[in-house]
Amino acid sequence: MTELTELTAVRLVEGYRKGEFSPVDAVRAALRRAGEIQPAVNAFVRLDEEAALARAAESAERWRRGEPAGLVDGVPVSVKDILLMRGGPTLRGSRTVSASGAWDEDAPSVARLREHGAVFLGRTTTPEFGWKGVTDSPVSGVTRNPYDLSRTSGGSSGGSAAAVALGAGPLSLGTDGGGSVRIPGSFCGIFALKPTYGRVPLYPASAFGTLAHVGPMARDAADAALMMDVISGPDTRDWSGLGPPAGSYAEGLGGGVRGLRVAYSPSLGGQVAVRPEVAAAVRRGVEGLAALGAYVEEADPDLTDPVEAFHVLWFSGAARVTQRLGPGQRELLDPGLREIVGLGERFSALDYLAAVDVRMEMGRRMGRFHDTYDVLVTPTMPITAFEAGVEVPGGSGLRRWTGWTPFTYPFNMTQQPAATVPVGVDSGGLPVGLQVIGARHDDAVVLRTAHALYAAGIAGVAPPRT
């Protein structure tokens, strides 16, 4: 019999409905798995077994009566320790955040999951304030890759990616300001979606402004679509949130990709050096789309690397999020974060607005690009996971995390939906991700494209042995 920890959220809900097993069974299994992996992988800041089992028992009773609370009633879910969740502190990976206080409010996405009966296992690790593309922090230490414990999980939602990959709950909530669900999704071999900006409401507003998205991290695209049907519900606390989606993401998965216009950009016009094994795996995935009936053309969007403008926006956000700290507290910060805070404090309002101008021009160009193509496909990452505990790969000569993730942050600048889909492993057994990018508001097309890859057996990698 398949272990409960290996089942998707969709399959768990089906099993609850049929009476094959109960939410208590699934949550106990997920908690047990979380405890097993924690010493080696360090995916969690905190597990809340007592509360989780109590919620699971309540869910089991609802299913017994045939009255589930919602779409994910009884499904084990973890939440990145950036998003507010009532009942415990949100430390955000920082020693400067006090655990005292009421902690009596949920972030919108957490609130929607709670309304639909999800069972929260605990909080997952993040770098301090989610500032970089790997997961280590002064609070929780280093989070490691499920496929090789000497390697990084990626970040900043690295704990969530590792938890999902290892069976400690099929769903997790992450955040993405420059690749933070897609980077660890690619490194850990899971599916992750950065929705169109505003599609999933966010509160409190991020100091990183409209770069910051909330998104699902899951076993596959079907689970992510189920989760999107829950967390896309509007919330009046987010002034920039979008209205309700046009329909169900889960119900829209079955259309396939026949006739879909796919642009394949293997290196963004030669701007990115991609490791050959990564390039080969992504190309096989693209060939799979063509075999499924998509019209595939090798084409590059008219974009130059916006890293300087991104740094203005990102470093300014870091300065803002730490602005309240006194000199003594600043010494408690991650040294890399402290460094970019200093840079961010030097930018002027005119510098910031010039960076916004870059965003708007990128958005115009990508809007025109999508007049011709439904989706753009690229590698998610040009590399596979590197050594844990460092911001950049050893010997790379790079200074900041943005130097090794050039495929992700441009699409935070443009606010487009973008997902990572696992399409193979390298010779060392480390996962490779393919990125699917859609036009703004075309989240359903991104999910449908990814689901087609899973349905055809093109997407997905063997689970880690950790």
Side-chain angles (χ1 to χ4, degrees):
M1 177 180 174
T2 303
E3 293 286 339
L4 289 174
T5 55
E6 298 173 16
L7 300 183
T8 64
V10 170
R11 180 67 183 90
L12 286 176
V13 170
E14 179 188 13
Y16 300 158
R17 183 176 296 112
K18 293 179 177 179
E20 297 174 13
F21 41 77
S22 80
V24 174
D25 300 326
V27 170
R28 283 192 187 280
L31 286 168
R32 182 177 65 250
R33 185 63 175 140
E36 290 170 351
I37 68 171
Q38 182 61 13
V41 177
N42 189 31
F44 290 90
V45 175
R46 184 174 66 255
L47 288 167
D48 196 345
E49 295 189 22
E50 183 178 349
L53 290 171
R55 282 184 62 82
E58 293 168 357
S59 173
E61 176 58 21
R62 289 192 294 270
W63 280 106
R64 189 192 65 78
R65 297 195 309 265
E67 300 173 352
L71 296 176
V72 291
D73 199 346
V75 175
V77 178
S78 58
V79 178
K80 183 180 180 180
D81 198 34
I82 288 286
L83 297 163
L84 290 179
M85 189 166 74
R86 72 173 191 247
T90 300
L91 298 179
R92 306 172 76 190
S94 181
R95 291 181 291 177
T96 69
V97 177
S98 172
S100 62
W103 300 107
D104 57 0
E105 191 169 23
D106 285 332
S109 50
V110 176
R112 300 294 85 77
L113 285 165
R114 193 184 298 276
E115 290 163 5
H116 279 256
V119 176
F120 299 113
L121 301 177
R123 311 304 300 275
T124 56
T125 52
T126 175
E128 193 163 20
F129 301 115
W131 81 271
K132 59 184 175 180
V134 294
T135 300
D136 59 74
S137 79
V139 165
S140 56
V142 177
T143 299
R144 299 181 179 276
N145 192 290
Y147 287 84
D148 182 340
L149 296 177
S150 71
R151 307 295 181 106
T152 180
S153 64
S156 62
S157 305
S160 290
V164 170
L166 287 164
L171 302 178
S172 192
L173 269 179
T175 63
D176 190 315
S180 288
V181 300
R182 290 161 291 154
I183 296 167
S186 180
F187 280 0
C188 294
I190 68 164
F191 181 85
L193 171 70
K194 177 188 75 68
T196 298
Y197 177 79
R199 173 48 59 212
V200 178
L202 177 61
Y203 172 85
S206 172
F208 296 103
T210 57
L211 294 172
H213 304 59
V214 179
M217 305 181 75
R219 295 281 176 77
D220 58 25
D223 269 14
L226 174 67
M227 196 173 183
M228 283 291 290
D229 280 344
V230 174
I231 65 177
S232 293
D235 193 292
T236 55
R237 293 173 293 173
D238 183 354
W239 67 272
S240 63
L242 303 176
S248 164
Y249 292 108
E251 292 176 3
L253 290 176
V257 296
R258 183 166 299 280
L260 196 75
R261 301 168 300 169
V262 176
Y264 168 45
S265 179
S267 61
L268 292 181
Q271 295 182 79
V272 183
V274 179
R275 190 169 294 171
E277 287 183 301
V278 171
V282 172
R283 184 172 291 275
R284 287 192 296 271
V286 172
E287 290 169 351
L289 288 173
L292 293 170
Y295 296 114
V296 177
E297 180 180 353
E298 196 161 316
D300 301 307
D302 182 22
L303 297 178
T304 54
D305 187 357
V307 67
E308 292 185 8
F310 180 81
H311 281 170
V312 171
L313 300 170
W314 194 252
F315 296 175
S316 297
R320 176 62 176 163
V321 80
T322 58
Q323 189 176 28
R324 61 180 174 78
L325 303 180
Q329 285 185 301
R330 288 200 175 201
E331 290 304 310
L332 300 175
L333 294 174
D334 179 330
L337 174 58
R338 192 163 60 241
E339 183 177 335
I340 70 164
V341 165
L343 295 171
E345 289 172 334
R346 300 189 188 113
F347 294 127
S348 69
L350 291 177
D351 294 328
Y352 193 93
L353 291 173
V356 171
D357 286 343
V358 171
R359 291 189 75 176
M360 291 191 290
E361 175 59 17
M362 289 177 65
R364 182 192 70 81
R365 294 186 182 193
M366 287 308 301
R368 295 298 298 272
F369 186 80
H370 284 289
D371 286 339
T372 304
Y373 301 104
D374 297 304
V375 296
L376 168 65
V377 173
T378 73
T380 307
M381 301 294 301
I383 58 175
T384 52
F386 53 88
E387 58 267 37
V390 295
E391 184 183 346
V392 300
S396 66
L398 299 172
R399 179 64 179 161
R400 293 268 79 96
W401 63 272
T402 43
W404 49 265
T405 181
F407 290 110
T408 58
Y409 59 79
F411 304 104
N412 291 80
M413 301 278 279
T414 61
Q415 302 187 341
Q416 295 172 246
T420 184
V421 184
V423 289
V425 295
D426 68 9
S427 57
L430 295 168
V432 173
L434 173 152
Q435 183 174 220
V436 181
I437 302 132
R440 290 178 73 243
H441 311 295
D442 274 356
D443 305 67
V445 174
V446 172
L447 286 163
R448 177 162 54 89
T449 303
H451 180 67
L453 289 169
Y454 279 100
I458 297 165
V461 293
R465 297 178 181 178
T466 302

PDB file of all heavy atoms in Angstrom, residues 225-238:
ATOM      1  N   ALA A 225      -3.209  23.736  -8.373  1.00  0.00           N
ATOM      2  CA  ALA A 225      -4.469  24.304  -8.844  1.00  0.00           C
ATOM      3  C   ALA A 225      -5.543  24.223  -7.760  1.00  0.00           C
ATOM      4  O   ALA A 225      -6.321  25.175  -7.557  1.00  0.00           O
ATOM      5  CB  ALA A 225      -4.925  23.572 -10.107  1.00  0.00           C
ATOM      6  N   LEU A 226      -5.607  23.080  -7.065  1.00  0.00           N
ATOM      7  CA  LEU A 226      -6.533  22.946  -5.949  1.00  0.00           C
ATOM      8  C   LEU A 226      -6.260  24.017  -4.896  1.00  0.00           C
ATOM      9  O   LEU A 226      -7.190  24.669  -4.385  1.00  0.00           O
ATOM     10  CB  LEU A 226      -6.393  21.553  -5.333  1.00  0.00           C
ATOM     11  CG  LEU A 226      -7.189  21.274  -4.060  1.00  0.00           C
ATOM     12  CD1 LEU A 226      -8.680  21.274  -4.337  1.00  0.00           C
ATOM     13  CD2 LEU A 226      -6.755  19.942  -3.443  1.00  0.00           C
ATOM     14  N   MET A 227      -4.996  24.209  -4.587  1.00  0.00           N
ATOM     15  CA  MET A 227      -4.621  25.198  -3.579  1.00  0.00           C
ATOM     16  C   MET A 227      -4.956  26.616  -4.055  1.00  0.00           C
ATOM     17  O   MET A 227      -5.417  27.452  -3.272  1.00  0.00           O
ATOM     18  CB  MET A 227      -3.135  25.069  -3.273  1.00  0.00           C
ATOM     19  CG  MET A 227      -2.697  25.757  -1.998  1.00  0.00           C
ATOM     20  SD  MET A 227      -0.974  25.340  -1.648  1.00  0.00           S
ATOM     21  CE  MET A 227      -0.737  26.166  -0.085  1.00  0.00           C
ATOM     22  N   MET A 228      -4.734  26.895  -5.347  1.00  0.00           N
ATOM     23  CA  MET A 228      -5.079  28.207  -5.889  1.00  0.00           C
ATOM     24  C   MET A 228      -6.575  28.477  -5.794  1.00  0.00           C
ATOM     25  O   MET A 228      -6.995  29.625  -5.578  1.00  0.00           O
ATOM     26  CB  MET A 228      -4.612  28.309  -7.327  1.00  0.00           C
ATOM     27  CG  MET A 228      -3.115  28.552  -7.486  1.00  0.00           C
ATOM     28  SD  MET A 228      -2.606  30.199  -6.923  1.00  0.00           S
ATOM     29  CE  MET A 228      -3.342  31.225  -8.198  1.00  0.00           C
ATOM     30  N   ASP A 229      -7.395  27.458  -5.958  1.00  0.00           N
ATOM     31  CA  ASP A 229      -8.839  27.658  -5.827  1.00  0.00           C
ATOM     32  C   ASP A 229      -9.215  28.103  -4.415  1.00  0.00           C
ATOM     33  O   ASP A 229     -10.269  28.722  -4.217  1.00  0.00           O
ATOM     34  CB  ASP A 229      -9.586  26.365  -6.177  1.00  0.00           C
ATOM     35  CG  ASP A 229      -9.720  26.147  -7.674  1.00  0.00           C
ATOM     36  OD1 ASP A 229      -9.525  27.114  -8.447  1.00  0.00           O
ATOM     37  OD2 ASP A 229     -10.017  25.008  -8.081  1.00  0.00           O
ATOM     38  N   VAL A 230      -8.364  27.806  -3.457  1.00  0.00           N
ATOM     39  CA  VAL A 230      -8.599  28.213  -2.073  1.00  0.00           C
ATOM     40  C   VAL A 230      -8.003  29.590  -1.792  1.00  0.00           C
ATOM     41  O   VAL A 230      -8.689  30.486  -1.305  1.00  0.00           O
ATOM     42  CB  VAL A 230      -8.005  27.170  -1.102  1.00  0.00           C
ATOM     43  CG1 VAL A 230      -8.125  27.654   0.343  1.00  0.00           C
ATOM     44  CG2 VAL A 230      -8.700  25.823  -1.260  1.00  0.00           C
ATOM     45  N   ILE A 231      -6.730  29.770  -2.097  1.00  0.00           N
ATOM     46  CA  ILE A 231      -6.014  30.967  -1.631  1.00  0.00           C
ATOM     47  C   ILE A 231      -6.226  32.191  -2.509  1.00  0.00           C
ATOM     48  O   ILE A 231      -5.829  33.299  -2.138  1.00  0.00           O
ATOM     49  CB  ILE A 231      -4.510  30.696  -1.454  1.00  0.00           C
ATOM     50  CG1 ILE A 231      -3.827  30.367  -2.791  1.00  0.00           C
ATOM     51  CG2 ILE A 231      -4.293  29.582  -0.438  1.00  0.00           C
ATOM     52  CD1 ILE A 231      -2.315  30.162  -2.676  1.00  0.00           C
ATOM     53  N   SER A 232      -6.874  32.028  -3.676  1.00  0.00           N
ATOM     54  CA  SER A 232      -7.153  33.178  -4.536  1.00  0.00           C
ATOM     55  C   SER A 232      -8.366  33.969  -4.080  1.00  0.00           C
ATOM     56  O   SER A 232      -8.698  34.979  -4.705  1.00  0.00           O
ATOM     57  CB  SER A 232      -7.363  32.721  -5.981  1.00  0.00           C
ATOM     58  OG  SER A 232      -6.189  32.204  -6.536  1.00  0.00           O
ATOM     59  N   GLY A 233      -9.034  33.515  -3.035  1.00  0.00           N
ATOM     60  CA  GLY A 233     -10.186  34.260  -2.539  1.00  0.00           C
ATOM     61  C   GLY A 233      -9.795  35.666  -2.131  1.00  0.00           C
ATOM     62  O   GLY A 233      -8.763  35.878  -1.496  1.00  0.00           O
ATOM     63  N   PRO A 234     -10.568  36.675  -2.496  1.00  0.00           N
ATOM     64  CA  PRO A 234     -10.203  38.072  -2.203  1.00  0.00           C
ATOM     65  C   PRO A 234     -10.167  38.360  -0.703  1.00  0.00           C
ATOM     66  O   PRO A 234     -10.774  37.663   0.102  1.00  0.00           O
ATOM     67  CB  PRO A 234     -11.294  38.885  -2.897  1.00  0.00           C
ATOM     68  CG  PRO A 234     -12.440  37.954  -3.051  1.00  0.00           C
ATOM     69  CD  PRO A 234     -11.855  36.583  -3.200  1.00  0.00           C
ATOM     70  N   ASP A 235      -9.428  39.398  -0.346  1.00  0.00           N
ATOM     71  CA  ASP A 235      -9.307  39.829   1.045  1.00  0.00           C
ATOM     72  C   ASP A 235      -9.194  41.349   1.050  1.00  0.00           C
ATOM     73  O   ASP A 235      -8.321  41.919   0.381  1.00  0.00           O
ATOM     74  CB  ASP A 235      -8.067  39.202   1.694  1.00  0.00           C
ATOM     75  CG  ASP A 235      -8.048  39.349   3.197  1.00  0.00           C
ATOM     76  OD1 ASP A 235      -7.905  40.486   3.676  1.00  0.00           O
ATOM     77  OD2 ASP A 235      -8.168  38.333   3.897  1.00  0.00           O
ATOM     78  N   THR A 236     -10.064  42.010   1.784  1.00  0.00           N
ATOM     79  CA  THR A 236     -10.124  43.476   1.738  1.00  0.00           C
ATOM     80  C   THR A 236      -8.899  44.141   2.337  1.00  0.00           C
ATOM     81  O   THR A 236      -8.695  45.349   2.157  1.00  0.00           O
ATOM     82  CB  THR A 236     -11.381  43.986   2.467  1.00  0.00           C
ATOM     83  OG1 THR A 236     -11.399  43.455   3.799  1.00  0.00           O
ATOM     84  CG2 THR A 236     -12.641  43.548   1.744  1.00  0.00           C
ATOM     85  N   ARG A 237      -8.059  43.400   3.049  1.00  0.00           N
ATOM     86  CA  ARG A 237      -6.856  43.999   3.636  1.00  0.00           C
ATOM     87  C   ARG A 237      -5.780  44.286   2.599  1.00  0.00           C
ATOM     88  O   ARG A 237      -4.840  45.044   2.872  1.00  0.00           O
ATOM     89  CB  ARG A 237      -6.303  43.081   4.727  1.00  0.00           C
ATOM     90  CG  ARG A 237      -7.191  42.959   5.952  1.00  0.00           C
ATOM     91  CD  ARG A 237      -6.672  41.907   6.908  1.00  0.00           C
ATOM     92  NE  ARG A 237      -6.764  40.559   6.352  1.00  0.00           N
ATOM     93  CZ  ARG A 237      -6.253  39.474   6.930  1.00  0.00           C
ATOM     94  NH1 ARG A 237      -5.610  39.589   8.083  1.00  0.00           N
ATOM     95  NH2 ARG A 237      -6.401  38.279   6.377  1.00  0.00           N
ATOM     96  N   ASP A 238      -5.869  43.672   1.429  1.00  0.00           N
ATOM     97  CA  ASP A 238      -4.876  43.896   0.375  1.00  0.00           C
ATOM     98  C   ASP A 238      -5.459  44.863  -0.652  1.00  0.00           C
ATOM     99  O   ASP A 238      -6.291  44.487  -1.476  1.00  0.00           O
ATOM    100  CB  ASP A 238      -4.506  42.576  -0.299  1.00  0.00           C
ATOM    101  CG  ASP A 238      -3.410  42.728  -1.357  1.00  0.00           C
ATOM    102  OD1 ASP A 238      -3.014  43.881  -1.657  1.00  0.00           O
ATOM    103  OD2 ASP A 238      -2.957  41.706  -1.883  1.00  0.00           O
TER     104      ASP A 238
END
